Amino acid sequence: MSQLDQILEEAVKKNENNKREVKNPLTKEMIQYQKVLESQQLKSQINQQHAKKEVKKEYIVIDEDSTDIYQQNKIQNTQNGSQKVKYVDILKQRQEEINKIPKDLFKSKIVIFFMRNFDLSEKRVKIFAEQIKNNQGEVYFSIQEYFEKFLTFYDLIQEKNKHILFICPDNIKIDELRKQLSQYSLDLDVVINKVVISEYLVEVLKQKKYINPEPYYFSYINQLAAQNNLFHVGQQEEINKEKQQIKNMNISQSQQIIDENSKQLSNSKVSSDEDSIQENSLDLECLTNISRDILRQRKMKQDTSRQKAAKKTRYLWDYNYDSEQEQQISEDDLEKSQNSDKFVSFDSSFEQKKAEYADQSITPIKLDNQLFLSKVTENEEISGQKINYLTSFKKLKRSPQLDNKNSQDQFLFKISKSTIKKEQDLIQQNQTSPSKTGFKNKNQLDYFEVDSDQEIQIKDEQKYLDYLDEDDEDFSKIDQRFITELPNLKVEAKFKNDQQLKSLKKKDKIIEIISLDSDEDEKETNLGQQINDQEQPKFVSQPNIGNPFKPFSGQIRRERYWDERKDHFICATGAPKENFNKLITEELEKLLKIYQQEKDIGRSIAYRKAVGIIKSLDFQIKSVKDVQKINGLGEKTKEKIKEILETGQCQRAQILTQSERNQAIELLSQVWGIGPSTASQLYERNIKTIAELRQNQHLLNKNQKIGLQYFEDLVERMPREEATLIVNEVIKGFKELYPEEHDRYDIIACGSYRRGKETCGDVDILICRKDGEENKPKKLMINLICKLEQDGLLIEHLQFPRPNQYGSETYMGIGKLKDGKHRRIDLKYYPKDLYGYALLYFTGSDYFNRSMRLFARKKGYSLSDHGLYAVNRIDNKTKITSSLAIPCYTEEEVFAALNLEYKPPYMRSV
DNA sequence: TCTCAGTAAGA
DNA sequence: TCTTAC
DNA sequence: GAGA
Ligand SMILES: O=c1ccn([C@H]2C[C@H](O)[C@@H](COP(=O)(O)OP(=O)(O)OP(=O)(O)O)O2)c(=O)[nH]1
Ligand SMILES: [Mg+2]
């Protein structure tokens, strides 16, 4: 038995052993991923230390990405005689490491790689591939690529005498491969000798000490640097001390990570409990789920961080920021400040670093009351004018040394002496400051430090100009729009204790506090989930003496840029009533559904967009040429369109929708309250039909049970006429409930009904008071719901209304007409001022909303059912939102505010 | 490499 | 935090 | 998956 055979056998065995354990999501792949994450954390920690000058370093990492630059630079260095910059040649180390693998391990083999794995990283695969090629082997990166080699089927079979390996990350791909091959009526075993999961292959190679994971982790680089005297500090003793410190830190920390991981690994061997999955069906499904979980986790991480950031920032604007309080600092403090301002990022590419070394024009800049270190490009010609503009900046954060001081000092910033000096020199030379620091007084010194090494590049359309260009006169007009306040909104706050209240009052914001009425019968009404005290206070409006919104620099430019490109947005083009390409959109929608199930956000957005674009066409696509130049339809989509035009279907969609799993999940997630995650969990428990689900109701929550109960009725769409009757019932009930003041309210059926669709999935009803909020009965929505329940219209309640910070309320329930089927009914109440935004939102369609909101976002606004706000997005984590919405009292005004043509509801069905 | 709408509720 | 919904 |  050859060496390779042995290794493969072990890898396969490992795979089989692990199949029993996979119920626990802590699989090896996940642990590898964790390891990478932690390595990244370590990296950023050390980067921070570098930034704080706790550790100085002066070397550059050479890796696969920077070899060319390295070679050039090396020649230059040696020509000059003295080596200026030192290198840690990680590439060499990696090559040495990979050389440890016996050269002829893959000799004369054919290897097909299917890569997506942390451990068998891309770099490593490249080196592998190189090695195999040098040993009379062959390497392919897809099965198609491999097939292209053959003219006849006979050739293919002959080739099998060689050892053909398929290395892939997980079992999904094997499944897919099988399907692909079945299209050619080929069996997997005919084509390929062995299929190896890369994860387990790597595991075996590691055990045999052929490969070492360390060279691909950050800590290894640090160790190397320390070993090679590449850390530089003034005193020799300190050098040694620091070197040792870093060495220890990295070794112990990375060792710790490895230990922890192996501990988790051994803990993760959990015996599967009996009701989980049948033995035979387990393997593929479980592994697919796990890799989905991992994908989802990665995505979820990004999403939640964005959400959190978004939540915080509104408070930032309203309650934390006060420019008046910026303090001046004495000369003494200025003297004390350290004179150092070189920021070198650790592992970025060589070119970037070179630029950083070379660039001396780092200056502080103040944008919208945040401080940045900026790079300013001087005298670039923009629209015929020579202008200085900001090309990139580093965000600054408050120095921790200030946290101990008393609160009055909290608006001091720190910037290094030399940068201030540069600024002052410019001012003294009577030049206009190239940045927006506003440091006119040399005593003014700020205590700020660099938040992260990452430099934020400013996109072309977002360049922040120092000087107003001709368009910027319009700022005054914008200003007018922004300072207008939305009247009639009340401030409502609920505090955990008086302290919170005081601290807010201190900041001179006037907040009117309305105690939440505690009517006797309130306790009996189920108002849903309790709000956590910690989350309070919530504000129904903004303080009525807000900072008048100042337009952000570059706003005119930004708006113009996106106005020129607005035909890329479906909200600007709209869709005709008729869909001329039903076949294509239906096929693409199949794929869309699959990707939504798999939680592949990117692809589902891409396919949704493609469907939207095709629906908006006012002609029938006859060939791909008709859609050749459309923005949003890329290569792959066009391929699929071509396929559909030629064969009448998309093969991939066909294969995917045929699979039992996908069909079951699709069916189960049609139950209200069950989404893709729950559906696939149910499928794992071998629940594949509604009947089976009805047998296992204990797995469902309250609303899901209701959804299941009325499943057959709810999956159906109702005819438009029935929706009309339901709306009339609601209006009738409302009139009976409030006979005197009913005409003070607008009651409008929105959703697909308002868009003029012939069938409606549900009834969406918007209620809006026409005059001020003060007169609105407190329990209007609850009363209405009780009334409709008495009338026999509403049968089940899914979601009770509860006032939120904007004074809007949402009800979701199930109702039916006499002798009719059960239908979903949504009631929403919005205060008068939100009428325009709410009507726009509730009319949809969902994709039209997304398109319009994206357009608003790009233009520097944020659009929702609560308003259109001006927003300055500094980076993906930081934004400043104006506390005052741009007033739009009708849909038309919202369109106008975004400089969009008004689209009547029937054109919004994208 | 980053982004993809924005908001809210239940468990 | 995760999932689902509009 | 597409676009920047
Ligand atoms: O993800 C979503 C879903 C819906 N909506 C808005 C637009 C939509 O028109 C309205 C009502 O939602 P519903 O789910 O009822 O959609 P619809 O457009 O009315 O279609 P259907 O006929 O399926 O009810 O809520 C969104 O903004 N985002
Ligand atoms: Mg609807």
Side-chain angles (χ1 to χ4, degrees):
Chain A
M1 199 188 245
S2 78
Q3 208 173 5
L4 180 63
D5 285 335
Q6 270 177 27
I7 288 172
L8 295 179
E9 199 158 273
E10 277 182 50
V12 171
K13 218 187 277 166
K14 258 194 191 312
N15 189 6
E16 276 163 8
N17 289 342
N18 279 331
K19 278 175 186 171
R20 296 280 90 77
E21 300 162 20
V22 287
K23 228 221 134 196
N24 189 316
L26 266 176
T27 62
K28 283 187 191 146
E29 191 184 355
M30 208 152 148
I31 289 167
Q32 290 298 343
Y33 176 56
Q34 258 182 349
K35 202 166 167 182
V36 173
L37 274 188
E38 285 176 44
S39 171
Q40 279 169 357
Q41 267 171 20
L42 181 62
K43 181 170 166 178
S44 73
Q45 260 177 33
I46 293 175
N47 266 339
Q48 271 170 19
Q49 285 176 341
H50 284 309
K52 284 186 199 157
K53 304 294 169 306
E54 283 170 21
V55 176
K56 284 186 188 173
K57 64 164 168 43
E58 41 172 40
Y59 62 88
I60 286 161
V61 177
I62 300 302
D63 61 6
E64 284 82 349
D65 306 326
S66 52
T67 41
D68 288 351
I69 309 158
Y70 168 60
Q71 291 299 347
Q72 288 166 14
N73 205 63
K74 205 173 171 187
I75 293 163
Q76 276 180 13
N77 266 339
T78 43
Q79 277 172 353
N80 289 346
S82 66
Q83 187 160 320
K84 281 175 198 157
V85 194
K86 290 174 182 161
Y87 304 95
V88 173
D89 196 347
I90 193 69
L91 189 60
K92 212 167 101 198
Q93 301 294 332
R94 285 177 184 164
Q95 192 62 54
E96 273 174 18
E97 182 258 339
I98 208 85
N99 282 343
K100 278 193 256 161
I101 301 176
K103 275 242 160 62
D104 52 357
L105 191 62
F106 291 103
K107 193 174 178 188
S108 302
K109 303 287 184 287
I110 294 176
V111 181
I112 303 165
F113 281 104
F114 210 125
M115 298 183 313
R116 185 176 65 73
N117 190 283
F118 304 108
D119 219 314
L120 197 63
S121 74
E122 201 176 334
K123 285 170 189 170
R124 196 175 249 150
V125 167
K126 268 187 199 152
I127 301 175
F128 258 133
E130 201 65 16
Q131 234 186 31
I132 296 166
K133 279 182 200 158
N134 291 341
N135 272 289
Q136 297 106 44
E138 291 170 36
V139 181
Y140 300 94
F141 289 96
S142 75
I143 195 81
Q144 284 85 358
E145 196 187 328
Y146 175 59
F147 280 174
E148 275 167 20
K149 198 179 144 191
F150 306 106
L151 286 173
T152 67
F153 183 65
Y154 179 74
D155 296 338
L156 177 72
I157 306 288
Q158 283 297 303
E159 197 76 6
K160 207 207 152 191
N161 296 331
K162 289 188 188 172
H163 201 125
I164 302 163
L165 269 178
F166 186 75
I167 301 181
C168 62
D170 57 37
N171 284 6
I172 301 180
K173 294 300 174 193
I174 303 180
D175 198 22
E176 212 168 73
L177 178 66
R178 277 213 181 86
K179 272 177 196 155
Q180 279 183 15
L181 289 176
S182 73
Q183 295 299 307
Y184 301 91
S185 305
L186 285 177
D187 212 16
L188 184 66
D189 300 339
V190 178
V191 184
I192 280 159
N193 297 57
K194 280 232 163 67
V195 176
V196 198
I197 309 292
S198 53
E199 188 188 328
Y200 301 118
L201 177 65
V202 166
E203 194 68 18
V204 178
L205 291 176
K206 256 190 235 165
Q207 267 178 13
K208 296 215 179 285
K209 299 230 181 326
Y210 288 153
I211 60 174
N212 161 17
E214 285 302 311
Y216 292 89
Y217 293 129
F218 165 78
S219 51
Y220 187 73
I221 300 172
N222 250 348
Q223 283 174 39
L224 270 184
Q227 280 161 15
N228 289 299
N229 281 343
L230 287 176
F231 285 89
H232 163 80
V233 183
Q235 296 293 316
Q236 189 58 41
E237 292 158 35
E238 284 178 40
I239 297 179
N240 293 337
K241 216 168 98 192
E242 191 178 84
K243 255 161 49 183
Q244 197 55 46
Q245 206 183 334
I246 287 169
K247 232 165 142 180
N248 291 343
M249 180 175 69
N250 294 329
I251 292 165
S252 64
Q253 287 200 9
S254 58
Q255 193 56 51
Q256 209 181 325
I257 293 171
I258 291 165
D259 288 349
E260 262 170 37
N261 286 335
S262 49
K263 216 195 284 168
Q264 279 177 341
L265 191 61
S266 53
N267 286 345
S268 72
K269 287 176 186 164
V270 189
S271 61
S272 54
D273 46 72
E274 69 289 354
D275 75 334
S276 64
I277 313 131
Q278 267 111 43
E279 294 243 317
N280 291 338
S281 68
L282 167 124
D283 323 332
L284 275 176
E285 297 297 345
C286 271
L287 280 171
T288 12
N289 281 332
I290 285 154
S291 68
R292 275 200 198 95
D293 276 350
I294 293 165
L295 268 177
R296 201 178 308 147
Q297 277 200 348
R298 276 176 231 164
K299 276 171 189 152
M300 203 60 81
K301 259 204 180 111
Q302 301 164 0
D303 277 9
T304 46
S305 66
R306 265 214 304 278
Q307 278 172 14
K308 269 188 195 161
K311 266 181 195 159
K312 270 187 191 152
T313 45
R314 176 145 310 166
Y315 293 108
L316 176 94
W317 176 274
D318 286 340
Y319 304 107
N320 294 338
Y321 160 65
D322 193 345
S323 62
E324 302 284 302
Q325 293 204 23
E326 283 180 23
Q327 299 279 314
Q328 292 201 349
I329 297 195
S330 67
E331 284 272 6
D332 291 354
D333 283 351
L334 192 135
E335 290 301 318
K336 273 183 228 153
S337 75
Q338 289 296 308
N339 186 4
S340 61
D341 67 342
K342 242 194 182 148
F343 305 101
V344 184
S345 75
F346 186 81
D347 199 17
S348 57
S349 77
F350 178 74
E351 221 158 9
Q352 251 179 332
K353 279 208 188 83
K354 211 164 71 174
E356 277 178 35
Y357 277 123
D359 192 294
Q360 298 301 318
S361 69
I362 293 176
T363 45
I365 186 159
K366 207 168 182 186
L367 277 177
D368 307 317
N369 298 302
Q370 296 234 353
L371 273 171
F372 302 95
L373 279 190
S374 68
K375 267 187 212 156
V376 177
T377 301
E378 280 171 49
N379 276 333
E380 176 139 328
E381 207 168 278
I382 296 177
S383 46
Q385 262 186 301
K386 288 208 167 172
I387 283 169
N388 296 335
Y389 66 88
L390 180 61
T391 50
S392 71
F393 54 86
K394 288 179 178 177
K395 211 176 116 201
L396 300 179
K397 69 174 180 198
R398 257 187 57 218
S399 171
Q401 54 173 299
L402 282 177
D403 284 344
N404 305 327
K405 297 197 179 180
N406 60 37
S407 60
Q408 282 175 341
D409 294 335
Q410 65 177 300
F411 292 101
L412 304 184
F413 319 117
K414 179 190 173 187
I415 279 177
S416 67
K417 203 174 165 186
S418 60
T419 48
I420 301 264
K421 197 160 178 304
K422 254 177 249 157
E423 186 72 17
Q424 286 168 347
D425 286 346
L426 282 166
I427 294 166
Q428 258 169 27
Q429 289 162 29
N430 227 358
Q431 288 183 12
T432 318
S433 155
S435 62
K436 292 190 170 184
T437 52
F439 289 134
K440 302 220 171 57
N441 182 341
K442 66 172 178 169
N443 290 336
Q444 214 166 1
L445 175 68
D446 286 346
Y447 280 94
F448 251 83
E449 64 185 61
V450 171
D451 188 11
S452 81
D453 267 353
Q454 216 179 0
E455 206 165 71
I456 303 157
Q457 291 296 328
I458 296 179
K459 293 173 193 155
D460 261 4
E461 73 275 13
Q462 292 178 328
K463 276 173 188 162
Y464 290 79
L465 302 178
D466 299 338
Y467 306 111
L468 304 183
D469 61 15
E470 73 272 30
D471 298 336
D472 287 2
E473 291 163 8
D474 282 346
F475 272 156
S476 55
K477 280 182 211 152
I478 295 183
D479 214 18
Q480 277 309 306
R481 286 197 310 190
F482 287 132
I483 57 175
T484 321
E485 218 177 313
L486 279 182
N488 291 331
L489 284 183
K490 287 177 188 167
V491 182
E492 188 174 298
K494 194 176 160 195
F495 299 102
K496 213 172 137 197
N497 52 40
D498 285 354
Q499 202 102 58
Q500 283 185 11
L501 179 58
K502 272 182 202 156
S503 70
L504 282 169
K505 275 200 168 160
K506 221 165 97 183
K507 299 196 174 174
D508 281 330
K509 310 287 177 188
I510 297 167
I511 298 166
E512 182 191 339
I513 295 145
I514 302 164
S515 64
L516 293 174
D517 285 38
S518 56
D519 290 1
E520 312 79 54
D521 56 346
E522 185 146 7
K523 278 169 208 132
E524 290 157 34
T525 326
N526 174 12
L527 285 175
Q529 198 176 37
Q530 282 273 305
I531 301 174
N532 184 355
D533 264 2
Q534 295 275 325
E535 285 172 22
Q536 304 291 350
K538 282 194 171 180
F539 302 97
V540 169
S541 169
Q542 286 69 37
N544 55 4
I545 49 145
N547 306 297
F549 176 77
K550 294 197 192 68
F552 309 114
S553 24
Q555 179 65 10
I556 296 290
R557 179 167 290 269
R558 185 154 48 230
E559 296 213 15
R560 193 174 58 203
Y561 180 92
W562 287 107
D563 277 344
E564 281 161 12
R565 287 161 180 75
K566 68 178 160 195
D567 51 331
H568 293 185
F569 295 80
I570 237 77
C571 60
T573 51
K577 251 184 176 171
E578 199 182 336
N579 180 1
F580 294 90
N581 300 289
K582 241 191 174 137
L583 180 67
I584 296 175
T585 51
E586 272 168 13
E587 284 294 307
L588 292 182
E589 266 166 353
K590 280 185 197 165
L591 282 171
L592 169 64
K593 262 191 193 147
I594 300 286
Y595 286 127
Q596 276 172 352
Q597 275 173 24
E598 303 209 347
K599 307 242 156 156
D600 188 337
I601 300 169
R603 280 189 184 76
S604 34
I605 288 169
Y607 275 100
R608 188 67 187 82
K609 191 173 183 190
V611 171
I613 288 168
I614 295 171
K615 275 188 188 169
S616 75
L617 296 177
D618 54 1
F619 60 89
Q620 194 187 345
I621 302 173
K622 296 248 164 54
S623 83
V624 210
K625 277 178 196 153
D626 297 343
V627 289
Q628 202 51 259
K629 284 209 180 89
I630 294 182
N631 184 302
L633 297 181
E635 284 310 308
K636 304 251 182 126
T637 320
K638 276 184 274 191
E639 258 171 43
K640 275 164 196 137
I641 293 176
K642 198 176 162 200
E643 192 190 336
I644 297 165
L645 286 173
E646 281 166 8
T647 65
Q649 62 175 44
C650 171
Q651 205 182 55
R652 194 176 152 76
Q654 225 62 27
I655 294 171
L656 288 173
T657 43
Q658 265 166 27
S659 104
E660 194 198 0
R661 183 198 156 82
N662 286 339
Q663 279 181 3
I665 291 178
E666 147 107 78
L667 175 71
L668 293 176
S669 42
Q670 282 185 50
V671 177
W672 198 92
I674 296 183
S677 297
T678 320
S680 71
Q681 271 173 28
L682 291 169
Y683 181 81
E684 270 172 45
R685 290 175 173 267
N686 212 12
I687 297 169
K688 295 170 188 172
T689 63
I690 298 299
E692 280 163 0
L693 187 55
R694 290 212 158 109
Q695 299 292 311
N696 291 286
Q697 295 210 16
H698 59 281
L699 297 170
L700 302 179
N701 67 23
K702 198 182 109 229
N703 282 351
Q704 288 166 340
K705 277 180 199 157
I706 298 175
L708 181 62
Q709 189 184 341
Y710 302 103
F711 176 79
E712 283 78 9
D713 281 2
L714 295 185
V715 279
E716 250 178 60
R717 294 177 70 80
M718 77 191 90
R720 189 180 169 80
E721 292 70 35
E722 191 179 341
T724 315
L725 293 178
I726 293 178
V727 176
N728 287 341
E729 276 289 302
V730 174
I731 295 176
K732 196 182 111 218
F734 191 80
K735 280 184 180 168
E736 283 170 18
L737 183 64
Y738 294 111
E740 265 136 52
E741 44 181 349
H742 70 83
D743 55 348
R744 294 179 194 271
Y745 295 88
D746 276 326
I747 301 183
I748 307 158
C750 300
S752 42
Y753 184 88
R754 183 156 183 259
R755 296 202 308 276
K757 288 272 152 186
E758 280 312 312
T759 63
C760 302
D762 63 355
V763 188
D764 309 289
I765 298 171
L766 175 70
I767 305 171
C768 227
R769 186 162 173 119
K770 292 179 197 166
D771 58 4
E773 277 298 280
E774 316 78 71
N775 305 318
K776 178 206 158 204
K778 278 207 187 75
K779 293 193 168 178
L780 180 125
M781 283 291 275
I782 302 265
N783 290 342
L784 178 62
I785 290 153
C786 292
K787 171 81 171 89
L788 294 176
E789 195 179 6
Q790 279 165 25
D791 290 354
L793 181 69
L794 292 183
I795 311 288
E796 298 279 359
H797 310 298
L798 298 164
Q799 172 72 67
F800 272 97
R802 177 202 291 159
N804 67 6
Q805 51 176 332
Y806 300 98
S808 64
E809 295 175 49
T810 293
Y811 167 82
M812 296 196 261
I814 293 172
K816 78 179 184 79
L817 293 169
K818 245 187 211 165
D819 313 323
K821 291 191 173 170
H822 290 86
R823 309 293 186 194
R824 279 272 300 102
I825 296 179
D826 279 4
L827 300 176
K828 278 177 197 279
Y829 176 87
Y830 281 87
K832 170 188 165 243
D833 300 300
L834 303 183
Y835 171 81
Y837 314 117
L839 188 60
L840 179 68
Y841 152 69
F842 213 29
T843 301
S845 67
D846 53 352
Y847 189 67
F848 184 88
N849 286 351
R850 289 170 66 164
S851 158
M852 194 153 166
R853 288 169 183 200
L854 181 62
F855 184 65
R857 183 177 233 270
K858 297 283 187 207
K859 284 184 89 170
Y861 301 89
S862 168
L863 174 65
S864 77
D865 51 341
H866 301 123
L868 178 63
Y869 290 90
V871 175
N872 190 13
R873 294 184 174 81
I874 286 144
D875 58 33
N876 57 8
K877 292 192 191 66
T878 328
K879 64 172 184 176
I880 301 174
T881 305
S882 156
S883 61
L884 305 171
I886 297 163
C888 302
Y889 296 99
T890 60
E891 280 186 326
E892 285 85 346
E893 282 178 59
V894 182
F895 279 95
L898 289 169
N899 197 12
L900 286 170
E901 219 175 279
Y902 176 74
K903 296 284 164 219
Y906 69 87
M907 284 183 76
R908 303 183 204 162
S909 283
V910 271

